[in-house]
Amino acid sequence: QVQLVESGGGLVQAGGSLRLSCAASGRTFSGVAMGWFRQAPGKEREFVAAISWSGGSINYADSVKDRFTISRDNAKNTVYLQMSSLKPEDTAVYYCAARGRPWIAGTRVYDFDYWGQGTQVTVSS
């Protein structure tokens, strides 16, 4: 089991930045791939970014590429999502996810095994 707790969400103006954090506990954090998803009201949960346990493999959704950066600190059991040049369409609840394997196998919701409770990000225009 992996327990995930997100933090860092909030209200920001368009063009601004936020950094989300996800603290993990439970099984060995360094043995799991991690990801971020988001869900806007009335929409399905969508993939944002993922990182392998070593950090050597990273994927981004096209909508956030060049604006968001995922990283991890295995010594702190924490994964981060640095979000820059935020747009109103980035408004959503952001979820941290963990996969029970070290590598990224896909970017679908069912490719991940554990989920946090989510943190709200609101971008005003």
Side-chain angles (χ1 to χ4, degrees):
Q1 286 287 339
V2 177
Q3 291 78 45
L4 305 171
V5 179
E6 303 96 336
S7 61
L11 174 64
V12 63
Q13 288 188 333
S17 300
L18 277 177
R19 188 176 81 157
L20 305 183
S21 299
C22 174
S25 61
R27 63 167 286 179
T28 304
F29 177 74
S30 62
V32 300
M34 300 294 296
W36 287 95
F37 286 73
R38 66 187 182 187
Q39 188 166 17
K43 295 188 177 181
E44 293 187 351
R45 192 169 298 189
E46 65 174 5
F47 170 76
V48 174
I51 185 169
S52 63
W53 78 268
S54 69
S57 178
I58 292 176
N59 289 353
Y60 293 101
D62 288 343
S63 59
V64 306
K65 203 171 293 183
D66 299 325
R67 299 190 298 122
F68 291 9
T69 301
I70 189 171
S71 62
R72 64 189 295 162
D73 185 337
N74 289 344
K76 296 182 178 180
N77 289 353
T78 302
V79 64
Y80 305 96
L81 185 68
Q82 177 66 49
M83 305 184 294
S84 303
S85 301
L86 283 161
K87 305 175 182 180
E89 51 264 43
D90 294 318
T91 294
V93 176
Y94 282 70
Y95 296 91
C96 177
R99 169 175 159 76
R101 294 289 187 274
W103 56 88
I104 302 169
T107 60
R108 297 152 295 189
V109 169
Y110 59 77
D111 289 317
F112 291 81
D113 304 303
Y114 308 102
W115 294 86
Q117 293 300 307
T119 184
Q120 176 71 45
V121 171
T122 303
V123 183
S124 63
S125 57

